[in-house]
Amino acid sequence: MGVLMLMMMAAAAMAKLCDAAVYKVGDTAGWTTIGNVDYKQWSAIKTFQLGDTVIFQYNAQFHNVMHVTHAEFRACNTTSPKATYTTGNDSITLTNRGHHYFFCGVPGHCQAGQKVDINVLRNPVSAQTPSPLAVPVSGNQEPSPNGGHLPRTSKASFAMLGLLSVVLVVCC
């Protein structure tokens, strides 16, 4: 039963990775102070989940991205960010639930609205739909072709291995 559970967890993790979305912050405008992009509105209409990736695209000569705490976000305080990104094409995978606060650390840019609060849902949307992998497996015996008995859990393990293989092929 342990192997079956491990395989189910692996399949669920792979399915999550396959469902991960990629979001370009600011959509076509990107990460900028030009054009009055409303990043608050941009993030409000998105449903971020674990494994999703946000991409900040900008001119690295004029901008950067700082990952900060809520207090730093509110005050546009650049003194001790969690991380600073400067490539102009920064890809960040969301690995924790809750709020992720980012702003541009160039003086005046955060105050001008170049800041975004990305909230990864605490209750993922997919958790509301029962998984086809959550089918209970009984320990009943079933005759095998050689006259012996093969536990259903063994057959289920092979079936799950096949399903996991299909998930891997489809996703990757």
Side-chain angles (χ1 to χ4, degrees):
M1 185 76 115
V3 173
L4 178 61
M5 196 60 135
L6 182 62
M7 288 175 26
M8 288 174 52
M9 289 172 37
M14 288 304 300
K16 282 272 186 216
L17 290 176
C18 294
D19 290 340
V22 176
Y23 297 96
K24 179 181 173 188
V25 177
D27 294 327
T28 57
W31 188 237
T32 184
T33 54
I34 299 171
N36 297 322
V37 179
D38 185 346
Y39 294 106
K40 185 175 183 176
Q41 175 64 27
W42 175 85
S43 67
I45 61 172
K46 307 286 189 269
T47 304
F48 300 102
Q49 296 189 40
L50 286 179
D52 287 353
T53 300
V54 290
I55 298 175
F56 291 85
Q57 290 184 337
Y58 55 93
N59 184 329
Q61 292 180 320
F62 303 110
H63 303 285
N64 63 30
V65 177
M66 290 185 159
H67 186 193
V68 297
T69 66
H70 183 242
E72 291 166 331
F73 181 80
R74 289 179 48 143
C76 291
N77 180 347
T78 62
T79 58
S80 58
K82 294 178 180 182
T84 302
Y85 304 91
T86 59
T87 69
N89 191 27
D90 306 317
S91 178
I92 302 167
T93 301
L94 303 171
T95 58
N96 298 9
R97 298 186 195 288
H99 293 269
H100 299 264
Y101 302 100
F102 300 95
F103 61 61
C104 180
V106 173
H109 289 201
C110 177
Q111 293 84 348
Q114 194 176 4
K115 59 196 282 187
V116 64
D117 170 4
I118 295 175
N119 186 16
V120 178
L121 297 177
R122 295 224 177 261
N123 296 318
V125 174
S126 62
Q128 296 170 356
T129 305
S131 168
L133 300 177
V135 176
V137 178
S138 74
N140 294 343
Q141 300 288 318
E142 193 170 287
S144 69
N146 66 1
H149 287 340
L150 182 63
R152 283 186 193 226
T153 52
S154 296
K155 284 187 174 183
S157 296
F158 289 117
M160 289 304 294
L161 184 59
L163 178 59
L164 181 58
S165 299
V166 170
V167 169
L168 288 171
V169 169
V170 170
C171 291
C172 305

